[in-house]
Amino acid sequence: MKPIKTKTVTVDGLTVRYAESEPRDTHALLLSPWPESVYAFEPTWTDLAADTHLVAVDLPGFGQSQGRPDVLVPRAAGAFVHRILDALGLDKVHVVGPDIGTSASLFAAALRPDRFHSVVIGSGGASADLELGEPLAGWVKDPDLTWYEQNADAVMAATLDNIFPATPLPDHVREDYLTSYGGRRFAESMRYVRAYPEELRALEQLLPSIPTAVRIIAPERDQVVPPAHAEFLAARLPHSSLAVVDAGHFIWEEAPKTYASLVLEWWDLNRAHPER
């Protein structure tokens, strides 16, 4: 049985896809990574949902949520996180934002830190001055998106095969990822990372003022976003903890037990310190 069952909600005129677990007193908002979807959290779902109400969300333009150019940049995505919380009636939550969720989560925390018990991030671009690995660096810098518009299926198939060579994705998960970024969807979603040069410089100025407790999970073998990005964040976020793990970029699917344990540990630590 699939642990994740999806539904939709309208937020700011956009249809947003999400999934949630059984009700609990504590809530967590999980932002899906790219180029994946809410199903990226399926391997960790049961562990994370044991004592916490989970709400996994495809941000606008990602997964199978409707997109719009004005919200497909990190700052706007961070502001949109608060609209999602409002639409779902969630007041204060833990946030888990891997990959593109890293910048969105931090912009959201900078805007309204009172709404977050804690934040868990990692595997996401953090500094405009640090190198990115491939294929992400090419996706950010390529001057012409025509090829991506015409070859989204090939790009996605190659990406997923490279990420999960030893542990193939379940059929329903792989199909969801491929469907989510078919046609022009992949090229449109690239707007987010192509805004990194400007957006990450703006984020850097905000990092020292974010009071939220932030755990940064840095996969040691991440060839897409080198661990230097995680170190950059750890040096600037005043209430942060850096965990370096022997894993590749998509640690939440490659090493789900390790990832879940790091998240749960952080939630437990910060349930004891809700004032942060």
Side-chain angles (χ1 to χ4, degrees), residues 190-265:
M190 290 172 71
R191 291 176 182 268
Y192 189 97
V193 296
R194 290 168 70 81
Y196 274 178
E198 178 181 351
E199 293 283 295
L200 295 183
R201 291 193 189 283
L203 180 60
E204 180 178 356
Q205 302 305 309
L206 298 173
L207 295 177
S209 66
I210 295 175
T212 312
V214 181
R215 165 150 283 177
I216 308 153
I217 299 176
E220 197 170 25
R221 293 182 280 104
D222 192 339
Q223 297 181 0
V224 180
V225 180
H229 286 261
E231 295 164 1
F232 175 89
L233 292 174
R236 289 160 178 80
L237 288 163
H239 301 290
S240 63
S241 169
L242 175 61
V244 180
V245 183
D246 181 17
H249 179 74
F250 288 82
I251 178 177
W252 44 91
E253 283 165 299
E254 294 175 26
K257 287 294 183 183
T258 299
Y259 190 79
S261 68
L262 289 169
V263 172
L264 290 170
E265 178 188 59

Side-chain angles (χ1 to χ4, degrees), residues 129-158:
D129 296 319
L130 293 174
E131 291 294 323
L132 295 168
E134 295 296 346
L136 182 57
W139 293 349
V140 172
K141 297 176 182 178
D142 197 326
D144 186 4
L145 297 185
T146 304
W147 190 86
Y148 299 97
E149 293 173 348
Q150 297 173 350
N151 296 277
D153 290 346
V155 173
M156 282 297 299

